[in-house]
Amino acid sequence: VDIFWCFKGEARRGERAGWRQAQRRIMAMMSCRAGDFYYGGRWVRADSKQRRFPCVNPATEQIFDDIGLATPKVVSDAVYAARECYDQGDWSSQTPKQVSRRIYLLRKTAELIRKEKGALASTETRDCGKPLEESEWDVDDASGVFEHFASVLERRVMTRDVDLGDDSFAGSLRAEAVGVVALITPWNYPLLMACWKVAPALAAGCCVVLKPSEHASLTCLHLASILHRSGFPPGSFNLITGDGPSAGAALASHPHVHKTSFTGSTATGESVALAAARQCKPCSLELGGKSALIVFEDCDIDKAVEWAMFGCFWTNGQICSATSRVLVHSSIHDDLLEALQARTLEIRAGDPMSRGTRLGPLVSAAQRDRVVGMIRRAEEEGARLVCGGGRPKGVVMDGVGYFVEPTVFADVDDSSELWREEVFGPVLAVRPFDTEEEAVEAANATKYGLAAAVISSDAARCERVARRMRTGLVWVNCSQPCFPQLPWGGKVGRASGHGRDLGEAGLDAYLDLKSVVTYTSADKWDWYPQQHKSKL
């Protein structure tokens, strides 16, 4: 009701001020935001002279909102707000009272996210194009992440005694907040990826500066409103919006940031790591992937096809962990490929706001063009197009929207771009194999190390293959399910990054260890014996 009356008032004002400005105010009301950036416990508007970034609905190609682009000064202001909160010491302390306060605030946030699920999900779908039911699933998961880290914090002992093996000394180990942390998140899971980082950082007592991708920031702005209403103290959570070269680079290299956590492309991750290395500061990186799904001959083909599709076409194919390389035992290769083709052609693509849609548009025109370019080059390199490769047929969007058909290739050369490089779109590449050894070797033959999957009715074989995968994640008889109880991240030393989100390790990422040694003996240390008695 409130939104209805706001809309009427804004519509009248829109006749005078222009519909674009009126629409922006309406969207701001719906997300409960009162400005462009949030830091120091208040909303701040961007300078009216600064250019803004348009929010384009990928399904309609229409601008429906815009966001502010933070200047280096805005970035610095947000970091200083976080630093001031951290330096005050109260928020970041690990006293039982303060830990209990953080647990309460985390659970309050989870509750508000659940209550505002409808607005969050619809905004997410308009902003990044994923089907509405997937957005709703993401919002449920986002709430669950805050609940998870509240429970982890509840169980965690922040100070514990350590037996040093010497009666003259007492030892203790303390876990302390890292400090001010920069969190830079991607556009494929705008709200959820932010929560993966924000929840544990706040649980640890860190002071956060979040910069979401400029391509999908609106649900993160809504999250700022939720955290404000939950009661987090000024400066504990701060949010800026902007592009990578300006806002992202300024944040990652800011001297008062103690740690950066980044999720995104491998190329950008390298720049973030270099910025941290120049200041001898830590960073966590969750980067790209080119994951393999190995399907053995003893599988249920229908189930294998379902997981092959879900493993690559979920989130419109824009998943860093997508099992986009499918290795199929040669004895069932043709049967599985035929079933995969038939099922892929049945996928309902179209308006992501319509329930039952299972494939929406890619996030932007640039991303669509990139994916289509890789499809065309794969054809030129000799891969066989089984299905897809163009715009979905029957989509009722009248030729509008950044849509790409779910696409399957066979006879893909293992040296080709399609087999080796991340597509970040709904494109599967299929190859046969003859032996388990051959399959494992092919799956591991990649610079990435994020995830892998194996499908077989032989439990011993699944365990054997899972053990040999050089990845941080392995799915057995499935692909893509993710739970906050288990850590998420790539194999160290490969191009998928290092560090972990989620699990108990997700909290550890924002804690620093301090060793305290106390001399408890009544005796003098007397390493330097006194030659003469002191007159004191």
Side-chain angles (χ1 to χ4, degrees), residues 349-385:
D351 182 0
M353 293 297 290
S354 174
R355 293 196 176 276
T357 294
R358 289 295 178 263
L359 189 86
L362 301 187
V363 73
S364 66
Q367 183 63 17
R368 176 203 56 198
D369 294 345
R370 179 183 179 278
V371 171
V372 170
M374 292 189 76
I375 290 172
R376 297 293 166 260
R377 289 193 294 277
E379 292 180 289
E380 291 167 5
E381 290 179 353
R384 175 164 60 93
L385 182 63

Side-chain angles (χ1 to χ4, degrees), residues 18-353:
W19 281 105
R20 182 70 53 75
Q21 291 86 344
Q23 192 176 43
R24 183 164 69 241
R25 287 195 291 270
I26 293 165
M27 291 303 299
M29 290 175 192
M30 292 178 70
S31 66
C32 306
R33 77 182 195 259
D36 296 300
F37 316 118
Y38 178 82
Y39 53 84
R42 62 191 179 92
W43 288 98
V44 178
R45 292 198 180 279
D47 188 322
S48 60
K49 297 177 182 178
Q50 293 291 328
R51 65 189 180 92
R52 303 181 67 83
F53 192 88
C55 301
V56 178
N57 184 329
T60 65
E61 301 184 33
Q62 295 297 308
I63 296 172
F64 68 97
D65 199 353
D66 58 23
I67 58 170
L69 292 172
T71 62
K73 181 185 182 305
V74 168
V75 172
S76 196
D77 287 346
V79 172
Y80 279 117
R83 183 59 186 262
E84 183 179 1
C85 179
Y86 175 68
D87 286 344
Q88 287 171 357
D90 183 45
W91 167 253
S92 298
S93 72
Q94 306 296 1
T95 62
K97 180 180 178 181
Q98 192 58 255
V99 169
S100 295
R101 179 190 181 196
R102 295 204 295 269
I103 292 168
Y104 167 79
L105 292 174
L106 291 168
R107 289 198 166 125
K108 180 66 174 176
T109 301
E111 179 188 353
L112 287 176
I113 290 173
R114 284 194 298 272
K115 285 181 176 178
E116 296 172 27
K117 174 178 174 178
L120 285 164
S122 60
T123 299
E124 195 81 295
T125 291
R126 275 193 293 269
D127 211 13
C128 73
K130 66 172 58 188
L132 180 61
E133 288 163 276
E134 292 188 22
S135 294
E136 290 174 338
W137 194 340
D138 286 358
V139 176
D140 288 338
D141 286 351
S143 175
V145 168
F146 275 90
E147 288 282 6
H148 165 71
F149 282 108
S151 298
V152 171
L153 185 57
E154 211 166 31
R155 297 191 301 268
R156 182 60 62 93
V157 177
M158 291 298 190
T159 301
R160 62 183 179 86
D161 295 333
V162 178
D163 184 354
L164 303 178
D166 187 328
D167 292 339
S168 297
F169 296 91
S172 65
L173 189 62
R174 300 178 184 176
E176 299 182 345
V178 164
V180 176
V181 293
L183 310 179
I184 303 174
T185 53
W187 47 256
N188 57 335
Y189 287 88
L191 176 66
L192 185 56
M193 292 293 100
C195 292
W196 278 22
K197 298 179 187 298
V198 169
L202 293 175
C206 290
C207 297
V208 167
V209 181
L210 170 67
K211 193 209 84 69
S213 167
E214 66 272 26
H215 294 290
S217 295
L218 296 181
T219 49
C220 289
L221 287 161
H222 193 144
L223 176 65
S225 168
I226 287 174
L227 292 166
H228 179 83
R229 287 177 280 132
S230 294
F232 283 86
S236 58
F237 174 82
N238 310 274
L239 180 143
I240 56 168
T241 55
D243 60 18
S246 297
L251 181 58
S253 60
H254 199 284
H256 289 299
V257 167
H258 298 111
K259 179 177 181 176
T260 301
S261 181
F262 170 82
T263 296
S265 71
T266 299
T268 305
E270 289 172 355
S271 298
V272 170
L274 282 171
R278 289 189 186 103
Q279 300 182 62
C280 296
K281 294 178 181 179
C283 69
S284 295
L285 303 172
E286 202 273 272
L287 308 176
K290 190 66 180 178
S291 305
L293 169 66
I294 302 174
V295 183
F296 284 97
E297 70 277 13
D298 58 355
C299 74
D300 179 313
I301 287 182
D302 288 338
K303 290 180 180 179
V305 165
E306 176 68 29
W307 285 116
M309 294 164 62
F310 190 80
C312 187
F313 301 151
W314 170 253
T315 312
N316 306 331
Q318 298 166 134
I319 328 173
C320 56
S321 58
T323 42
S324 56
R325 294 184 299 143
V326 180
L327 291 154
V328 184
H329 193 273
S330 56
S331 65
I332 62 166
H333 175 270
D334 292 348
D335 290 340
L336 186 138
L337 198 59
E338 182 180 348
L340 179 60
Q341 178 187 24
R343 289 292 306 280
T344 299
L345 290 171
E346 293 173 352
I347 292 175
R348 178 176 163 184
D351 182 0
M353 293 297 290

